[in-house]
Amino acid sequence: MDDAFKLFEEITNRNLVMWNLMILGCNKNSLFDDSWKVFCQMHNAGVLADEFTYSSVLSACGALERVTRGEKVYGLAVKSGFFSNGYVRAGMIDLFTKCCRVEDALRVLYDFHLSGSVKNKDIWVALEIFRQICRHGALIPNAFTFSSALTACAAVEELDLGKSIHGCAIKLGAGADVFVGTAIVDLYAKSGAMCDAIKQFNLMPMRNVVSWTAIIAGFVQKRDSASAFRVFKDMQNAGEDINSFTVSSVLAACANAAMSNEVLQIHCWTFKNGLYLDLVVKAPLITAYSKVGAINLSEMAFTETQDLKQVGIWANMISAFIQSENYEKAIVLFRRMLEEGIRPDKFSALSILSIIDSLTLGRQVHSYTLKVGTASELSVGGSIFTMYSKCGNLEDSLKAFEQLERKDNVSWTSMIAGFVEHGCADKAVQLFRQIRFEESFPDEKLLVAVLNACSALQSLKLGREIHGFTLRCGFGKETIINEALVNMYSKCGDLNSARIVFHTMPLKGHVSWSSLISGFVQGGHIDEALQLFHDMLLSEITVDAFTISSVLAALAVSSKTNIGTQLHAYIIKIGLESLTPIGSSLIMMYSKCGSIGDCDKVFRQIIDPDLVSWTTMIMSYAYHGKGLEALQLFDLMKKSGIQPDAVTFVGVLSACSHAGLVEEGYSHLNSMIKDYKIEPSYKHYACMVDILGRAGRLEEAERFIVNMPIEPDSLVWETLLAACKVHSNHELGKIAAEKIMELQPSDAGAYVSVSNICAEVGEWEHVMKVRCSVKETGVRKKEPGWSFV
């Protein structure tokens, strides 16, 4: 050792390894006092010790039975962050044991387990250890014990228990300790008791960066951005050292559109103080700029990042693009991430999956998650099957759902809702029956999804079963459930049950009002629908476009023009006249009331008419005999980029009929098939027969019917029969009427038509045969017309 010391003294630049070798050599040669002297020299030289240093020095103190020295070393080790290290802990326990201080040795053991449990998030285990320490008569909790226990309470927001520990800390004289004070502030802040947190913060005789950051984080949790930023400014003015975690917290507080100036100030401050390149600061800075609407500054911050190997910074930039709806840039960045060999984490994958509407790209991301083994995780797997559902591929969506290792209520709800949305409500119900409720108890959203499936199926029996199930689950008073029940009963035609549920609801939202009004309209109870809408207005519930559209539909059926005009004035008053659904409903109402001029005015007020609006206006023109105007509007619609559907072509062909445009009718029918790949239905063929019939080309109409690619139904023959009556073509009329009788033997109108045609040409014997047929088949005669006059 003498030679070792001589050589050691000659070395000018000593590193930590050399100091540790000297202390360890002294211990091996039982030179324990020399070990202590070397450690003191090392500390005075400013060399930072590690766990091996502390362990060796504690061993020397134990051999010398110098417990005071050991406590100083242990305190230094704890301050340097080595408390949980096994070497340090073992050295301290050995020291206390050799000095016959068993209680202190036991305290170190308990404190270690308490701290370890908190770090491993075994919170209730940590609190149980604290309880055992308190029960042990010889052990008195110290500052470290209290700070660990308070941290555990903060993690689970156990405010009442935390207050008890706070009181105990004050009683035992530990309340003034900076670590205990910081833990107390953190407890109150995380529990939402900001007044108490600030009070304790102001009472602290000495504060550190952690206590300041805890206050800021508390205001972030309360979404009090202004207060968080004010505390940050106070911290600057107090000259307190500010670390990257403090800046991260205050940036999270300022991440809203009203605080763009504050974000810019913090950004400049990080430049000045050398924290700008710190990834802990950079990630929230990118997010903050995106949330204040400065995505270009987010991109700049990302580009200026030196260490782009960290996956978190990529995830933040992708999320920022998505929040600002720059989906294309988000996808490009995700692809660049893969190209540069950065392995995306699950947050990056989740972000990208949330915006994908392309099946090809979706499958690529799915394949990647399978490759890295995250596809079966609940969050990632849920996003995968939701993505497939959004892309319309329910088969792959179900496969991804079934591959989940564990399914929670969110995943069940998403899959069931996906089936309902894509018209597979029966499969949604089947899936609901597969849930094992002993493993996953249903919540409100899951039950609402199933009730929506019942509404789509119009299955009253199943809907009542689910209603009973919701009551057994204790959800009878939940507004979201009751709204779904009102909708289900209304869609299923059980308006009495819908009314009962509606009137028993403690809180009635606009959804329940709208559902019941729509139910009354669909059920033909127009007066009840109008009265309910009147009650809704009196209750000051916000009226949405769906509700108004339902009421307008009711007015169209009832032809109550005066009420319709009043409602139109109300729509203008609340500023909804330019909305597409409202405009379409107003057009329909005015059309049914015979006011085509008002239809035209309403249509011109719609800012961005959709397919429904264009089609409604075209059909209104056609219905009122304005065929040329309808066809002109159809041309405008195509020029605006709107693709017509089957309903639109019914209106177009009707317009050709009213305008007497036979060749144009043929042209539009052919265009429908060739240009738009729409298969004509019976309505389209009936319209074409009507066009030919009105033009007097009855034989051509008959040939058209015979050559139809589908078997003509009664509507087509009825159209031909009507044309035959107008043009007095009795022979063809008889053929059409007989076809109708074959297709609909119970249709009294067909028998009457044949009878009248035969009577007109004097075929009285045939008239008698038809009337006898009516009696033999038991066809109900037409109800005679009547009048109040």
Side-chain angles (χ1 to χ4, degrees):
M1 285 304 299
D2 290 337
D3 293 332
F5 269 113
K6 286 178 183 178
L7 182 60
F8 184 72
E9 293 295 335
E10 292 176 2
I11 300 172
T12 53
N13 295 321
R14 303 162 187 163
N15 60 22
L16 178 61
V17 176
M18 296 175 186
W19 288 100
N20 283 346
L21 285 171
M22 290 304 298
I23 295 170
L24 185 62
C26 291
N27 281 0
K28 284 186 176 181
N29 290 279
S30 300
L31 303 173
F32 300 115
D33 277 321
D34 289 331
S35 293
W36 174 253
K37 289 176 183 177
V38 172
F39 174 72
C40 291
Q41 289 175 11
M42 174 184 170
H43 183 67
N44 292 334
V47 179
L48 296 177
D50 63 5
E51 65 266 32
F52 302 110
T53 316
Y54 291 122
S55 174
S56 299
V57 176
L58 286 170
S59 295
C61 293
L64 294 169
E65 296 185 5
R66 301 294 294 270
V67 71
T68 305
R69 288 183 181 178
E71 286 178 329
K72 290 179 180 178
V73 174
Y74 186 58
L76 192 60
V78 170
K79 184 179 179 181
S80 301
F82 290 103
F83 169 76
S84 59
N85 183 268
Y87 294 110
V88 177
R89 177 170 47 90
M92 200 62 206
I93 292 172
D94 181 60
L95 169 66
F96 280 134
T97 304
K98 285 179 178 177
C99 297
C100 300
R101 290 175 56 172
V102 180
E103 291 82 5
D104 290 324
L106 197 59
R107 181 200 303 283
V108 173
L109 185 64
Y110 272 124
D111 282 351
F112 171 75
H113 285 304
L114 176 58
S115 174
S117 298
V118 173
K119 287 182 178 179
N120 292 326
K121 298 183 180 179
D122 296 326
I123 305 302
W124 296 108
V125 174
L127 292 174
E128 176 59 25
I129 293 170
F130 177 77
R131 188 179 64 82
Q132 291 176 14
I133 293 172
C134 293
R135 281 186 173 183
H136 199 292
L139 294 180
I140 298 174
N142 58 17
F144 185 85
T145 312
F146 280 121
S147 61
S148 296
L150 288 163
T151 302
C153 292
V156 291
E157 297 183 15
E158 273 288 335
L159 185 58
D160 291 336
L161 179 58
K163 285 181 176 178
S164 300
I165 297 173
H166 180 189
C168 186
I170 294 173
K171 184 178 178 181
L172 295 175
D177 182 87
V178 65
F179 295 107
V180 175
T182 300
I184 290 168
V185 170
D186 187 52
L187 165 71
Y188 287 122
K190 284 182 178 175
S191 301
M194 286 307 299
C195 292
D196 291 328
I198 293 168
K199 180 181 177 181
Q200 293 303 316
F201 180 76
N202 291 331
L203 290 173
M204 290 179 69
M206 186 174 68
R207 303 159 187 161
N208 60 14
V209 64
V210 180
S211 51
W212 283 93
T213 305
I215 287 289
I216 292 172
F219 281 123
V220 173
Q221 186 174 308
K222 297 283 285 185
R223 297 185 179 179
D224 188 347
S225 304
S227 297
F229 187 73
R230 186 175 63 251
V231 173
F232 179 70
K233 297 298 287 184
D234 291 342
M235 190 177 179
Q236 287 178 300
N237 295 333
E240 187 68 53
D241 288 334
I242 298 173
N243 62 24
S244 56
F245 297 100
T246 311
V247 178
S248 174
S249 293
V250 76
L251 280 170
C254 298
N256 64 71
M259 302 197 74
S260 56
N261 289 333
E262 286 79 358
V263 174
L264 195 58
Q265 289 178 41
I266 297 167
H267 186 179
C268 295
W269 184 90
T270 62
F271 263 121
K272 181 180 178 181
N273 291 273
L275 291 176
Y276 177 63
L277 297 178
D278 193 317
L279 291 180
V280 176
V281 172
K282 188 63 70 73
L285 181 64
I286 290 171
T287 301
Y289 271 132
S290 70
K291 289 190 175 179
V292 302
I295 190 63
N296 58 319
L297 294 178
S298 291
E299 285 189 84
M300 181 192 73
F302 175 78
T303 304
E304 293 174 351
T305 303
Q306 291 183 343
D307 185 9
L308 280 177
K309 295 295 181 183
Q310 297 292 326
V311 65
I313 203 77
W314 291 82
N316 275 72
M317 193 64 238
I318 289 170
S319 178
F321 278 136
I322 292 171
Q323 287 172 4
S324 60
E325 298 184 357
N326 288 315
Y327 300 143
E328 188 175 344
K329 283 190 174 183
I331 292 170
V332 168
L333 189 63
F334 184 79
R335 284 176 169 156
R336 178 187 155 195
M337 188 178 182
L338 294 173
E339 289 168 1
E340 295 191 13
I342 307 297
R343 179 176 173 175
D345 59 2
K346 71 176 183 179
F347 301 105
S348 307
L350 287 171
S351 297
I352 287 296
L353 285 166
S354 69
I355 62 169
I356 289 175
D357 56 5
S358 164
L359 204 54
T360 303
L361 178 59
R363 282 188 171 137
Q364 290 174 1
V365 178
H366 185 191
S367 298
Y368 175 79
T369 60
L370 288 169
K371 181 181 177 182
V372 298
T374 59
S376 60
E377 290 185 19
L378 190 59
S379 56
V380 178
S383 296
I384 289 169
F385 75 72
T386 302
M387 176 272 297
Y388 279 123
S389 176
K390 189 166 61 176
C391 293
N393 191 328
L394 292 181
E395 184 179 348
D396 285 343
S397 178
L398 185 58
K399 284 180 183 177
F401 173 77
E402 290 172 343
Q403 287 171 357
L404 288 177
E405 293 176 352
R406 184 176 64 86
K407 301 176 180 68
D408 62 357
N409 281 334
V410 175
S411 55
W412 284 106
T413 303
S414 298
M415 195 66 238
I416 289 171
F419 275 132
V420 175
E421 184 180 348
H422 289 88
C424 300
D426 53 337
K427 291 184 179 179
V429 173
Q430 291 173 14
L431 195 65
F432 177 72
R433 296 189 187 281
Q434 294 175 19
I435 302 176
R436 298 173 64 183
F437 290 116
E438 65 271 14
E439 296 179 0
S440 179
F441 191 76
D443 59 9
E444 301 97 317
K445 292 181 180 178
L446 176 56
L447 293 171
V448 166
V450 181
L451 285 169
N452 289 339
C454 297
S455 300
L457 292 171
Q458 295 187 358
S459 174
L460 184 59
K461 180 178 179 296
L462 181 60
R464 283 174 174 162
E465 290 177 8
I466 303 298
H467 187 182
F469 184 72
T470 61
L471 294 173
R472 289 197 302 275
C473 292
F475 295 127
K477 294 183 179 179
E478 296 292 336
T479 301
I480 187 174
I481 292 283
N482 286 321
E483 287 181 339
L485 284 168
V486 172
N487 181 57
M488 182 273 295
Y489 281 123
S490 298
K491 292 278 179 67
C492 294
D494 188 355
L495 295 175
N496 187 47
S497 296
R499 189 188 290 111
I500 291 171
V501 174
F502 177 79
H503 287 301
T504 55
M505 289 175 66
L507 293 172
K508 300 177 180 67
H510 73 274
V511 174
S512 52
W513 287 91
S514 297
S515 297
L516 191 55
I517 290 170
S518 177
F520 280 134
V521 172
Q522 291 172 5
H525 303 282
I526 307 303
D527 291 335
E528 288 90 336
L530 294 176
Q531 181 59 50
L532 191 63
F533 179 68
H534 181 259
D535 295 341
M536 183 179 182
L537 293 177
L538 293 177
S539 65
E540 297 183 352
I541 297 291
T542 303
V543 180
D544 61 2
F546 177 79
T547 310
I548 293 176
S549 295
S550 297
V551 176
L552 288 169
L555 294 171
V557 173
S558 63
S559 299
K560 295 185 178 182
T561 314
N562 57 334
I563 300 178
T565 306
Q566 293 176 36
L567 182 56
H568 191 179
Y570 174 75
I571 291 167
I572 294 171
K573 181 181 177 181
I574 61 177
L576 298 180
E577 71 277 8
S578 61
L579 291 182
T580 305
I582 297 288
S584 300
S585 299
L586 281 169
I587 293 168
M588 183 64 71
M589 181 198 71
Y590 281 124
S591 177
K592 291 289 181 69
C593 296
S595 182
I596 191 65
D598 288 324
C599 291
D600 187 61
K601 289 178 184 177
V602 170
F603 181 76
R604 294 178 187 279
Q605 288 179 339
I606 301 174
I607 295 175
D608 187 20
D610 62 359
L611 175 62
V612 176
S613 306
W614 286 97
T615 302
T616 305
M617 193 63 223
I618 288 168
M619 296 192 78
S620 297
Y621 275 136
Y623 181 76
H624 287 276
K626 294 182 175 289
L628 292 175
E629 288 87 341
L631 295 175
Q632 289 172 359
L633 193 64
F634 178 63
D635 288 335
L636 284 174
M637 171 185 154
K638 290 190 291 185
K639 288 177 182 177
S640 69
I642 302 293
Q643 292 285 318
D645 64 357
V647 180
T648 312
F649 276 105
V650 170
V652 170
L653 291 172
S654 297
C656 292
S657 176
H658 286 93
L661 302 172
V662 179
E663 299 308 320
E664 285 79 356
Y666 275 122
S667 175
H668 285 300
L669 185 64
N670 291 329
S671 173
M672 171 185 171
I673 299 168
K674 293 179 180 179
D675 299 335
Y676 299 100
K677 311 302 180 188
I678 301 172
E679 288 296 324
S681 67
Y682 291 113
K683 288 185 178 179
H684 299 102
Y685 289 121
C687 286
M688 198 63 222
V689 171
D690 187 52
I691 293 172
L692 294 169
R694 285 175 183 261
R697 296 158 64 166
L698 301 179
E699 287 77 12
E700 186 177 347
E702 183 189 15
R703 288 196 303 273
F704 179 84
I705 295 172
V706 172
N707 293 323
M708 279 172 54
I710 57 175
E711 192 69 26
D713 67 345
S714 59
L715 175 64
V716 175
W717 291 110
E718 284 169 2
T719 306
L720 179 61
L721 176 60
C724 290
K725 289 179 182 178
V726 172
H727 295 284
S728 301
N729 190 326
H730 302 108
E731 291 302 319
L732 190 54
K734 280 199 298 183
I735 294 171
E738 287 169 358
K739 289 289 185 180
I740 297 168
M741 286 189 291
E742 288 177 15
L743 293 169
Q744 290 186 328
S746 60
D747 185 359
Y751 290 92
V752 173
S753 296
V754 172
S755 176
N756 291 341
I757 290 170
C758 293
E760 285 180 14
V761 295
E763 296 181 359
W764 298 107
E765 291 183 7
H766 200 66
V767 170
M768 294 303 296
K769 286 181 182 180
V770 171
R771 291 182 178 179
C772 290
S773 298
V774 171
K775 292 179 182 179
E776 289 172 2
T777 55
V779 176
R780 235 177 125 185
K781 293 182 180 180
K782 290 178 69 178
E783 186 177 340
W786 55 278
S787 172
F788 284 114
V789 180

